[in-house]
Amino acid sequence: MKTVLMVAEKPSLAQSIAKILSRGSMSSRKGLNGTCSVHEYSGTFAGQPVRFKMTSVCGHVMTLDFLGRYNKWDKVDPAELFSQAPTEKKEANPKLNMVKFLQVEGKGCDYIVLWLDCDKEGENICFEVLDAVLPVMSRAHGGEKTVFRARFSSITDTDICNAMARLGEPDHNEALSVDARQELDLRIGCAFTRFQTKYFQGKYGNLDSSLISFGPCQTPTLGFCVERHDRIQSFKPETYWVLQAKVITDKDRSLLLDWDRVRVFDREIAQMFLNMTKLEKEAQVEATSRKEKAKQRPLALNTVEMLRVASSSLGMGPQHAMQTAERLYTQGYISYPRTETTHYPENFDLKGPLRQQANHPYWADTVKRLLAEGINRPRKGHDAGDHPPITPMRSATEAELGGEAWRLYEYITRHFIATVSHDCRYLQSSVSFRIGPERFTCTGKTVISPGFTEIMPWQSIPLEESLPTCQRGDSLAVGEVKMLEKQTSPPDYLTEAELITLMEKHGIGTDASIPVHINNICQRNYVVVESGRRLRPTNLGIVLVHGYYKIDAELVLPTIRSAVEKQLNLIAQGRADYRQVLGHTLDVFKRKFHYFVDSIAGMDELMEVSFSPLAATGKPLSRCGKCHRFMKYIQAKPSRLHCAHCDETYSLPQNGTIKLYKELRCPLDDFELALWSSGSRGKSYPLCPYCSNHPPFRDMKKGTGCNECTHPTCQHSLSMLGIGQCVECESGVLVLDPTSGPKWRVACNRCNVVAHCFENAHRVRVSADTCGACEAALLDVDFNKAKSPLPGDSTQHTGCVFCDPIFQELVELKHAASCHPMHRGPGRRQGRGRGRGRRPAGRPGARRPKDKMSALAAYFV
């Protein structure tokens, strides 16, 4: 029996699709990477009985990166990144072993059906999957087709079964357009980012951003925010005057009239008009009109409009809103949320999704009435040729979804119902008055039929005071005429919704990437999100944009990126050559980069005004080993030490606290040691600022501390404090934290494993002796007599933290509260069987226990 491998983009999608196609009769098992499941069932394919295997990836399988030394900022001129630096495809998440997993599941399979998301990124992932699987599949006979592409827009029985019945092929051109975008963003972004980060962080201490990044889409996005800021700053308010008249309709009611001239900017002229009208006793009716008008129902919902409303009305940031929508999609509540289309195709079943809502407690009456009376065909919108508009596919309640997922789902559903409802019809009445020589007007609206505003009440016609019934020639008594003084006001900062509109209008990013670009400028500390989700640029964001304008305005204007996006779309359509577009665009930006580097002094002049030089920033902390003067600790991101006398800067580990370590010095370079800590529940270790930035030993990595230093005699080094191999990660060593007493800790120097041990011990020391069973270093522990947990009133004990039964009761394993990349473990749990006999650096011969379960390894079982 032949085998069909089917691959979806996410594990939850694979399960949902497999349930539909197998009608629930499937078996499931975990794949070798522990993340992706494999669902198996029997069926027919191409008219023959087959065994189906449905599994998934987790987004992109591969990512683009530079080779070897080109990833080292200090070794490579950023200009080389435009053309000379070779790139390669690497696994996007090596811990998932996705390529190996796909090869294991694909080995010997006869056919493959790709159920990746139906957009350009999905097409790109299709070919990443094929690159992994095709070499291990069974050979096709006689030119038989073996690769198939399923295209679908929602996780419903109908859509999935239809997709399976109409399988096509993956689109290579769309995949190439994504490859081109990835390479352009990598080369251009890295070159500019590396140069300006090194240049400005080497001169200024209070930038408060760990990365001064540039992005072909990110930077124009920031430019829109700064442009609005500049308009606000340069705005000069002007005083103007308006006339306001009030007429009496009956004893208890009056009516405010609007001046037909609207406003004047000269007080004397306004006073003249006031003098001409304020003595009049009556207002003459000159004209009346009554006209029926309609407020149109909304166009069908696409991604950009959903993100706009989520930000402006639901208070959800674009990236969070997109993640929530994707979750609703994978759970089958809505159709695919990434679409530029606002037009339903003629054959789209509108009644099906509507019937799903017929018993919903919030809008059942409206839906039943629409189904009974007949739905109204949605307005004709834009057909981008991708997916249908975002549509609710099944009913859900607030209790079922909860929180923000419900609020987004509710809006999507109300919007859909509104698109098939009737327009709101209302009667607009207008009365024109003459008071002396001046004309005034009053308007009012009366709803005839609420139409779609019944389901979208926030769009309803506001209730206004009804106008009196009057005819031309009638007179009403004038209550008063007065002059009001007002001022023009500046625009407000851009909201996320307004920024999304500008990005869409100028072609910056795609419906999928717009939320990412907005999130990036927030993460980089270029803008801050204020109340009402308004984006206010920081000093750093403002200076960067003004600097780009000063050197090369095209780096920040949307024009050049918009042109690139058009070229990428031509690649996707098969109308432009991938290599030619890539080469031409890189050549343009390479020339711009060289000009930018030559003209950087122009931006630097702006930086000098807003930021402090390194020498004037920070507070004294530890002494330099070269000049023996105090270096200053700069706490703003990225935290670092700066010696003003030597004009040297030393990077420090991020996301923790730094303090002086007992005024002890490094035996190699005489620098005073610092102590880095991730907090009371985390880990800490001493470090030498110089050794951390210039590793003295081959097996010591840049950016590490004394817990990875293999100096043979230094009392703070791995050689003296290392115990044995970490029980969780592949390459780490458990190291005693000598500063942690009386709540002693042993921590891995690579991952985030921390063992709390020997609480209230007076002294803990790593012995020169090793365990006979596992060859880990023994620990000498001294307790105070009053607090000793040792048997028989003993206060001293020497033993192995892995094997000693007395120590097993005194050890508790946890994970450090650290988010620094250096301390992120693989996140796997493993038992005693893995990695026996490994010899960690600094402790020759140390290995895991062979004969019995250790106290630490037992934690993982």
Side-chain angles (χ1 to χ4, degrees), residues 267-529:
R267 180 185 174 86
E268 291 183 3
I269 292 175
Q271 186 66 48
M272 176 190 73
F273 286 129
L274 177 64
N275 294 338
M276 293 164 64
T277 56
K278 69 179 181 180
L279 298 178
E280 296 291 331
K281 302 297 183 185
E282 290 186 337
Q284 303 294 324
V285 177
E286 289 208 323
T288 63
S289 68
R290 290 164 66 84
K291 189 175 182 180
E292 186 175 316
K293 290 192 172 184
K295 182 175 184 179
Q296 283 190 312
R297 60 198 182 282
L299 286 168
L301 186 64
N302 67 2
T303 305
V304 169
E305 181 62 20
M306 180 190 72
L307 295 177
R308 268 198 291 255
V309 173
S311 175
S312 61
S313 301
L314 305 181
M316 297 170 67
Q319 189 160 34
H320 179 52
M322 199 69 241
Q323 291 167 348
T324 305
E326 286 175 345
R327 199 159 54 247
L328 290 171
Y329 161 67
T330 57
Q331 294 168 346
Y333 290 108
I334 64 172
S335 64
Y336 192 60
R338 298 186 191 275
T339 177
E340 297 175 11
T341 295
T342 58
H343 176 72
Y344 283 106
E346 296 300 322
N347 61 351
F348 191 90
D349 178 19
L350 293 164
K351 288 187 177 180
L354 199 59
R355 289 192 194 99
Q356 290 282 331
Q357 308 295 333
N359 295 313
H360 197 282
Y362 286 6
W363 42 73
D365 292 343
T366 303
V367 171
K368 286 176 180 175
R369 188 167 61 252
L370 278 171
L371 290 170
E373 297 174 359
I375 63 172
N376 197 21
R377 188 73 199 167
R379 290 168 55 198
K380 186 173 178 62
H382 168 65
D383 185 0
D386 49 0
H387 288 272
I390 303 168
T391 308
M393 302 312 296
R394 76 173 203 239
S395 184
T397 62
E398 186 172 3
E400 191 177 341
L401 297 179
E404 292 178 331
W406 159 252
R407 291 195 294 129
L408 187 60
Y409 172 83
E410 181 187 15
Y411 171 73
I412 291 169
T413 305
R414 288 184 181 273
H415 189 109
F416 168 70
I417 297 170
T419 62
V420 295
S421 299
H422 293 276
D423 292 343
C424 171
R425 292 187 299 114
Y426 61 93
L427 191 68
Q428 181 166 295
S429 304
S430 177
V431 182
S432 294
F433 295 89
R434 182 172 56 80
I435 305 176
E438 290 304 292
R439 288 180 170 80
F440 296 81
T441 305
C442 186
T443 58
K445 296 173 184 174
T446 306
V447 175
I448 300 171
S449 171
F452 78 93
T453 62
E454 186 178 11
I455 195 70
M456 298 178 81
W458 60 91
Q459 294 274 15
S460 59
I461 302 295
L463 292 173
E464 294 180 356
E465 198 169 355
S466 58
L467 298 183
T469 303
C470 51
Q471 304 294 327
R472 182 178 180 183
D474 290 351
S475 298
L476 294 178
V478 176
E480 67 172 340
V481 180
K482 59 184 178 181
M483 183 173 69
L484 302 178
E485 182 179 304
K486 297 185 178 184
Q487 274 195 330
T488 55
S489 56
D492 212 334
Y493 284 107
L494 281 179
T495 63
E496 286 173 332
E498 291 168 337
L499 179 57
I500 291 167
T501 302
L502 286 170
M503 293 174 73
E504 182 191 33
K505 176 183 175 183
H506 292 279
I508 300 300
T510 63
D511 54 359
S513 64
I514 282 173
V516 177
H517 301 315
I518 295 175
N519 186 63
N520 281 344
I521 62 173
C522 296
Q523 294 292 320
R524 298 284 185 263
N525 195 34
Y526 295 162
V527 301
V528 293
V529 182

Side-chain angles (χ1 to χ4, degrees), residues 42 72 90 229 328 368 432 540 754 759 767:
S42 298
K72 297 177 180 178
K90 299 178 180 178
H229 167 83
L328 290 171
K368 286 176 180 175
S432 294
L540 180 57
V754 172
E759 187 168 352
S767 169

Side-chain angles (χ1 to χ4, degrees), residues 196-215:
Q196 60 189 27
T197 298
K198 289 174 67 177
Y199 187 88
F200 291 121
Q201 284 187 351
K203 294 190 70 174
Y204 303 102
N206 56 340
L207 297 175
D208 201 23
S209 183
S210 55
L211 203 66
I212 314 299
S213 65
F214 174 93

